[in-house]
Amino acid sequence: MSKSILYVAIDVDDLAFHGAGYDGENGKYYEFRCKPTVGSLLKRIKQLEEKGFEIRICYEATYIGYGLQRNLEANGIHCDIIAPSSIPEKRSKRVKTDRIDSRKLAEYYLKGLLTVISIPDKIDEQVRQLIRSRSFVVDQRRRLKQHILSSCRFKGIDYRIQTNTRSHHWTKKHLQWLNSQISKQPEITRKMFERLLTQLIVLDDEVENFDLLIEEFSNMEKYHKRSQALSCIKGINTLSAMTLLTEIGDIRRFPHPKNLVSYMGMDIVEYSSGGKEKKFGITKMGNSKIRTTLVEACQSITLGTSVGKLLRSRRKGVPIEYVRIAERCQNRLWKKKHRMSLGTKAPNKIKVACAREMAGFVWEMLITAA
């Protein structure tokens, strides 16, 4: 005789795990609270199994990552991680507690109203965390540069005004000029700028070390073929390719490019009713890392369809079918950009629209290289 299935939802936090199991046959809830450890949770699950249930567990994707799911699966317990953005909400309900959240999640889990996220393998997860850590260091460097420039303005040091130029900051010439100006400052101010510039050099070195690590891992058998294929596309280098590979995961879980576009949050918001059609911007309800990578890759579309030295070197020795896909991509994006420019569309709208187009070619490239 088969066991009845008990759908259990866990609301996780640092203080405790709040669980609620929902039995669809009699509409009964089985609630519990335990310490936020796997051992304590397994004891509670065992008590539910002793009641004659087959247990299926879910919890929202949170800061704890995939560790809890992997530990439960290792102990023979089915566990899913739910995308928080897909959980239905009742606008009339204004009371939120851990108990209510776990009950609601268990009921939705039984009815199949939740979206289960894909669990990456451990290598993908580790490389993805490496790339995200690089982004964190890059953001620190950006904020430090902003602080140095604002401190310079506060002290009356302005590179563009004093040199009568429109050159970019942080070039070799700018740094030489900045050092010459700092040497003229009072001792306290001079030491402050020296410490800040030393920290900037440290962050530059760390970003370079991250880039070397990512380049090394891109040569692994798991990534090498697909990374080479994506790097054939204009605007995508090794870092962009590895970001896409680790964030997308198995491309075969997307049966059509539109599914990938939806996953990266680039569907068009639409509110059409009563014979009126209204469309707005993109939803942004998806993976922001993929979305940002593709939008940044489309910065190069203003350069036309020319093939530079670096792109030519990346395409060297790559199978011809990848190069053909990449050429079709850059030709189509250039035509789209030109057509939208004639329609007086804003530059940022053009880049986002081209990023949506590029997602389709990324899907085709990865399917071909799979």
Side-chain angles (χ1 to χ4, degrees), residues 61-92:
T62 64
Y63 62 92
I64 66 173
Y66 310 107
L68 178 59
Q69 188 271 346
R70 289 193 174 115
N71 283 323
L72 292 175
E73 292 280 356
N75 284 276
I77 300 168
H78 179 86
C79 181
D80 290 320
I81 303 180
I82 305 303
S85 60
S86 71
I87 300 175
E89 292 289 343
K90 295 180 180 179
R91 300 185 67 179
S92 59

Side-chain angles (χ1 to χ4, degrees), residues 147-157 178-198:
H147 177 71
I148 293 173
L149 289 178
S150 64
S151 299
C152 286
R153 291 293 297 274
F154 185 77
K155 295 296 182 181
I157 304 173
L178 186 58
N179 284 317
S180 67
Q181 296 298 311
I182 289 173
S183 63
K184 301 175 185 178
Q185 298 297 313
E187 182 181 3
I188 296 176
T189 303
R190 187 178 70 252
K191 288 185 176 181
M192 176 196 73
F193 277 115
E194 287 174 352
R195 290 295 89 205
L196 291 174
L197 290 175
T198 300

Side-chain angles (χ1 to χ4, degrees), residues 59-308:
Y59 65 92
E60 292 182 46
T62 64
Y63 62 92
I64 66 173
Y66 310 107
L68 178 59
Q69 188 271 346
R70 289 193 174 115
N71 283 323
L72 292 175
E73 292 280 356
N75 284 276
I77 300 168
H78 179 86
C79 181
D80 290 320
I81 303 180
I82 305 303
S85 60
S86 71
I87 300 175
E89 292 289 343
K90 295 180 180 179
R91 300 185 67 179
S92 59
K93 298 295 183 181
R94 304 300 296 271
V95 179
K96 175 180 169 58
T97 65
D98 293 337
R99 176 174 171 271
I100 292 175
D101 285 347
S102 56
R103 275 193 168 206
K104 177 182 68 175
L105 199 64
E107 186 176 347
Y108 289 160
Y109 189 36
L110 179 144
K111 295 178 179 179
L113 299 176
L114 304 175
T115 300
V116 178
I117 69 172
S118 175
I119 309 298
D121 63 34
K122 291 185 178 180
I123 297 178
D124 278 348
E125 183 183 0
Q126 291 166 8
V127 177
R128 182 168 71 183
Q129 194 62 34
L130 174 70
I131 296 173
R132 290 184 178 185
S133 296
R134 178 195 180 276
S135 297
F136 173 76
V137 176
V138 169
D139 187 60
Q140 282 188 315
R141 183 177 64 176
R142 177 185 59 79
R143 294 178 62 186
L144 178 59
K145 287 180 177 180
Q146 289 176 342
H147 177 71
I148 293 173
L149 289 178
S150 64
S151 299
C152 286
R153 291 293 297 274
F154 185 77
K155 295 296 182 181
I157 304 173
D158 194 312
Y159 174 62
R160 289 176 175 170
I161 292 177
Q162 292 178 238
T163 60
N164 193 24
T165 181
R166 299 302 299 171
S167 300
H168 293 292
H169 293 111
W170 307 114
T171 61
K172 186 176 181 181
K173 186 178 180 180
H174 171 243
L175 287 172
Q176 290 175 347
W177 179 88
L178 186 58
N179 284 317
S180 67
Q181 296 298 311
I182 289 173
S183 63
K184 301 175 185 178
Q185 298 297 313
E187 182 181 3
I188 296 176
T189 303
R190 187 178 70 252
K191 288 185 176 181
M192 176 196 73
F193 277 115
E194 287 174 352
R195 290 295 89 205
L196 291 174
L197 290 175
T198 300
Q199 186 63 30
L200 181 60
I201 293 172
V202 171
L203 291 176
D204 284 336
D205 291 340
E206 288 304 316
V207 172
E208 185 177 349
N209 290 334
F210 272 111
D211 289 337
L212 292 175
L213 281 173
I214 294 168
E215 183 75 32
E216 178 184 343
F217 290 122
S218 71
N219 292 320
M220 293 173 59
E221 183 179 357
K222 178 181 177 64
Y223 300 113
H224 183 63
K225 182 180 176 181
R226 294 177 296 158
S227 176
Q228 270 194 328
L230 288 178
S231 297
C232 292
I233 300 176
K234 189 171 185 176
I236 296 181
N237 57 13
T238 302
L239 174 62
S240 303
M242 290 297 290
T243 302
L244 293 173
L245 290 176
T246 54
E247 295 290 345
I248 292 174
D250 186 2
I251 191 63
R252 289 168 293 190
R253 63 194 178 100
F254 301 105
H256 192 274
K258 66 180 181 182
N259 301 113
L260 178 59
V261 170
S262 179
Y263 178 72
M264 56 193 278
M266 297 195 81
D267 282 333
I268 302 298
V269 178
E270 182 174 359
Y271 189 86
S272 299
S273 180
K276 295 181 180 180
E277 182 179 293
K278 292 183 180 180
K279 292 186 178 180
F280 304 92
I282 58 175
T283 63
K284 296 185 181 180
M285 300 295 289
N287 191 304
S288 61
K289 304 295 183 182
I290 304 175
R291 187 169 63 248
T292 301
T293 299
L294 291 184
V295 172
E296 289 179 349
C298 289
Q299 300 282 353
S300 63
I301 60 175
T302 56
L303 303 177
T305 58
S306 60
V307 178

